[in-house]
Amino acid sequence: MKIELASSYGFCFGVKRAIKIAESAGNAATIGPLIHNNEEINRLAINFNVKTLNGINELSDERKAIIRTHGITKDDLAKLKQSSIDVIDATCPFVTKPQQICERMSEEGYDIVIFGDENHPEVKGVKSYSYGRVFVVLEENELDDIKLKQKVAVVSQTTRKVEKFMQIVNYLMLRVKEVRVFNTICNATFENQEAAKELSKRADIMIIIGGKNSSNTKQLYLISKNFCKDSYLIESEDEIDKEWFKNKELCGISAGASTPDWIIQKVVNKIEKI
Amino acid sequence: MKIELASSYGFCFGVKRAIKIAESAGNAATIGPLIHNNEEINRLAINFNVKTLNGINELSDERKAIIRTHGITKDDLAKLKQSSIDVIDATCPFVTKPQQICERMSEEGYDIVIFGDENHPEVKGVKSYSYGRVFVVLEENELDDIKLKQKVAVVSQTTRKVEKFMQIVNYLMLRVKEVRVFNTICNATFENQEAAKELSKRADIMIIIGGKNSSNTKQLYLISKNFCKDSYLIESEDEIDKEWFKNKELCGISAGASTPDWIIQKVVNKIEKI
């Protein structure tokens, strides 16, 4: 069986940057997991004493707080900055962008639509920057019963699929006079998605490696599954089942934006031995 | 054979308004045809002495100039206003809108994309309101070789199909960070189009009545043709050919936004006699 890695996969700019920041800070706490990858979080805890808290209320004697790649809410950030703790911002610049847009657009009187998962920390953060009305949706029909203003600004969670974003924009074009579209979907996500799509069309089996709470990893899995029914989402090599590979000729591999290379390598090594 | 009129067809708000304005002005000249319907233009000339000039350079001793529904260029309007002539503006308010948007968006530093036909007087007028860069396209790939700014504002000729407008917006979403979409497609056009679509799915033959230089009439014809291969575009009852109706059970009829009821009635009368 041949193994082929997607032409683009794994760590994005924002994740690489956040890990570097965490490593050089050391002895710090992150508010929520720095990135959506448990193995990497453990590595940072063990090697650099960077621990993960669930929220700012868990802070006690820490001297440094690192803001996760997904950002935190405006209120939490303000509280941290008012406290005596050192705030080290590892928010991905591609996430800071929609936060700023939300703030500016609500100042300018737009209704705001965020295409994303309202339970995702990135979306919670972005949403918190809006002063006015803001609607978080995954499907356009969630807006059916809402009387929208005639001017609506739209942003997307950075890790969403652009096709669905377009559907939401098209829906809004029919409903309101002005739709101000900010394509805040991250290129890295897009590139990983396109590469996974291309590979999954040819592969007999697809292995997607990444955190099961990672939005972009789940998207990669869904895209693969669409073209290659034998697609599997795993967090580490331990989940691999030999049975999956029977009679398969080409095994495609991709990984989410927060999956470190060392985990990918372990998976490849294990598959090579099958 | 049964004859059925589309649930929405013919004169739109802007055309009704312009005819009323021209009738009450009387003894005037319009700069370009007031509306895209020769028969109605003739009626206004004969009954109200409203003549049609090709451009402002043809004005001589007229005391009143009527601006056509499609609007004229900003320069021409300025010249008219500077002259001693009375300027009576019959520009459709739905056309004034994209003119204002173009002006404002170019002031705010956006590249402007107009979805429309660059030879259509409405589009020429709208385009003339932009100070900066402006691109008129019918197909998104016409923008392929243009290095666009990261902020683009988009308007549409009022009589275009919204599906194609969406395609252009979707294309732009992939190319630039901010797409500011103003859906300037006129509802009347949209309603006539939806009604023609619905009827043409059921009809054995479709007759579309309107000016052959009328953008919205051509759109109606193309939509009909898509669902009913025996679709015909005519300007008056004289063009009707009995042969068309052989073995047909349902004849659908629609008419462009500048087709007066009296022309539609003549067509219906003639078909009824077949």
Side-chain angles (χ1 to χ4, degrees), chain B residues 166-198:
Chain B
M166 287 170 174
Q167 275 179 33
I168 290 169
V169 168
N170 292 348
Y171 167 91
L172 286 169
M173 283 173 64
L174 292 178
R175 285 213 37 204
V176 306
K177 293 226 161 57
E178 181 187 346
V179 189
R180 201 160 168 180
V181 187
F182 297 88
N183 185 352
T184 50
I185 294 174
C186 169
N187 267 345
T189 303
F190 178 72
E191 282 159 19
N192 283 2
Q193 286 177 359
E194 285 301 296
K197 186 168 157 184
E198 189 278 321

Side-chain angles (χ1 to χ4, degrees), chain B residues 92-229:
Chain B
C92 171
F94 295 123
V95 174
T96 310
K97 203 86 197 163
Q99 289 174 348
Q100 292 166 337
I101 291 167
C102 254
E103 191 159 29
R104 189 158 55 90
M105 287 304 103
S106 61
E107 275 166 8
E108 291 188 23
Y110 287 79
D111 271 354
I112 293 170
V113 170
I114 302 173
F115 167 41
D117 173 358
E118 60 179 345
N119 298 312
H120 192 285
E122 175 190 322
V123 174
K124 284 181 187 168
V126 170
K127 186 182 173 184
S128 72
Y129 279 81
S130 151
Y131 300 104
R133 300 209 308 169
V134 55
F135 307 99
V136 179
V137 299
L138 285 169
E139 297 288 336
E140 58 273 27
N141 61 18
E142 295 170 53
L143 296 166
D144 279 352
D145 297 330
I146 293 162
K147 201 168 151 43
L148 292 163
K149 277 192 193 169
Q150 282 304 308
K151 45 190 259 189
V152 172
V154 209
V155 297
S156 175
Q157 188 178 353
T158 54
T159 48
R160 290 278 145 192
K161 278 165 75 178
V162 72
E163 288 80 6
K164 188 69 201 175
F165 190 38
M166 287 170 174
Q167 275 179 33
I168 290 169
V169 168
N170 292 348
Y171 167 91
L172 286 169
M173 283 173 64
L174 292 178
R175 285 213 37 204
V176 306
K177 293 226 161 57
E178 181 187 346
V179 189
R180 201 160 168 180
V181 187
F182 297 88
N183 185 352
T184 50
I185 294 174
C186 169
N187 267 345
T189 303
F190 178 72
E191 282 159 19
N192 283 2
Q193 286 177 359
E194 285 301 296
K197 186 168 157 184
E198 189 278 321
L199 181 53
S200 61
K201 282 177 182 170
R202 297 183 286 115
D204 303 302
I205 174 169
M206 282 292 294
I207 304 292
I208 310 296
I209 315 158
K212 281 174 185 162
N213 55 351
S214 153
S215 165
N216 82 84
T217 307
K218 278 184 275 183
Q219 295 295 342
L220 286 178
Y221 170 68
L222 291 175
I223 289 167
S224 284
K225 187 94 185 158
N226 205 16
F227 297 102
C228 173
K229 70 175 172 42

